[in-house]
Amino acid sequence: VGEVNGATLCMMRNLEIERVGLAAMGLGIARRCIDEMVRYSTERKTFGKELYHHGQIQKTIAESYAKYMAGRCYVYGLSNDLDLGSYGNGLDADGTKLYCAQMAKEVADAAIQVMGGYGYVGEYVVERLWRDAKLLEIGGGTNESHHKNMMRDLRKRQSKLD
């Protein structure tokens, strides 16, 4: 199973891996929401033109994409540097999960807004994606627990950020 007295290492490492995995789920939710917003905004017409021609829709989709890409960079960067044989990546494991869970819910909320009433009903996928995103803010540690963990780790660093 492992080395004697090595259970703490395994448990902490597994929590870090879980949180990075949940952050990646947030990325998937956001990506699908963006795809749905782009698809819907090119199909739906208002005032004689496709929805994507309206400035507020452009702003919403563009900002959603920027948030998604920021989360993607954070998750990919941490994943690339993650040492599966040790632990000590808690600050960024918590950070990626915290950021991506919130970001996924914001992007899903934006998708519901872009789609109007259609985004709220069960026959469109964004309604389910919003519920899935909300669960990410709770499962694998609440946002508040990540705040606490991150502050503890930042305090230990004493402003020695990379």
Side-chain angles (χ1 to χ4, degrees):
V1 177
E3 294 185 29
V4 175
N5 298 321
T8 301
L9 170 91
C10 290
M11 183 182 73
M12 296 307 290
R13 182 187 60 226
N14 290 344
L15 282 174
E16 292 170 358
I17 293 168
E18 175 192 31
R19 289 175 178 156
V20 174
L22 291 169
M25 288 173 65
L27 292 178
I29 290 168
R31 181 177 174 176
R32 177 68 188 273
C33 286
I34 293 165
D35 289 345
E36 292 296 320
M37 282 191 277
V38 170
R39 184 191 56 74
Y40 183 81
S41 70
T42 58
E43 292 174 357
R44 175 84 165 113
K45 289 187 179 183
T46 58
F47 305 105
K49 57 185 174 180
E50 289 87 3
L51 197 58
Y52 75 88
H53 286 292
H54 300 288
Q56 188 60 37
I57 300 301
Q58 294 169 353
K59 174 186 184 290
T60 300
I61 296 172
E63 287 181 353
S64 294
Y65 178 76
K67 290 176 185 178
Y68 160 75
M69 287 303 293
R72 183 177 172 203
C73 288
Y74 195 6
V75 170
Y76 282 31
L78 174 61
S79 298
N80 190 49
D81 295 336
L82 200 61
D83 178 5
L84 298 179
S86 69
Y87 71 97
N89 303 292
L91 177 61
D92 286 321
D94 280 305
T96 56
K97 201 277 194 167
L98 174 68
Y99 179 82
C100 289
Q102 290 176 329
M103 176 272 299
K105 196 181 82 171
E106 290 170 7
V107 172
D109 190 63
I112 289 173
Q113 195 69 26
V114 164
M115 296 175 77
Y118 288 126
Y120 192 72
V121 296
E123 63 189 86
Y124 285 83
V125 71
V126 295
E127 179 268 342
R128 179 183 52 80
L129 292 169
W130 186 91
R131 285 185 289 116
D132 291 347
K134 179 60 185 170
L135 181 59
L136 289 179
E137 291 186 329
I138 302 164
T142 62
N143 288 351
E144 294 77 13
S145 69
H146 297 307
H147 297 150
K148 179 185 67 75
N149 295 343
M150 291 175 72
M151 191 59 223
R152 178 198 62 221
D153 292 346
L154 285 167
R155 186 180 50 80
K156 287 178 185 176
R157 286 188 175 199
Q158 300 279 333
S159 75
K160 297 174 188 163
L161 298 178
D162 296 335

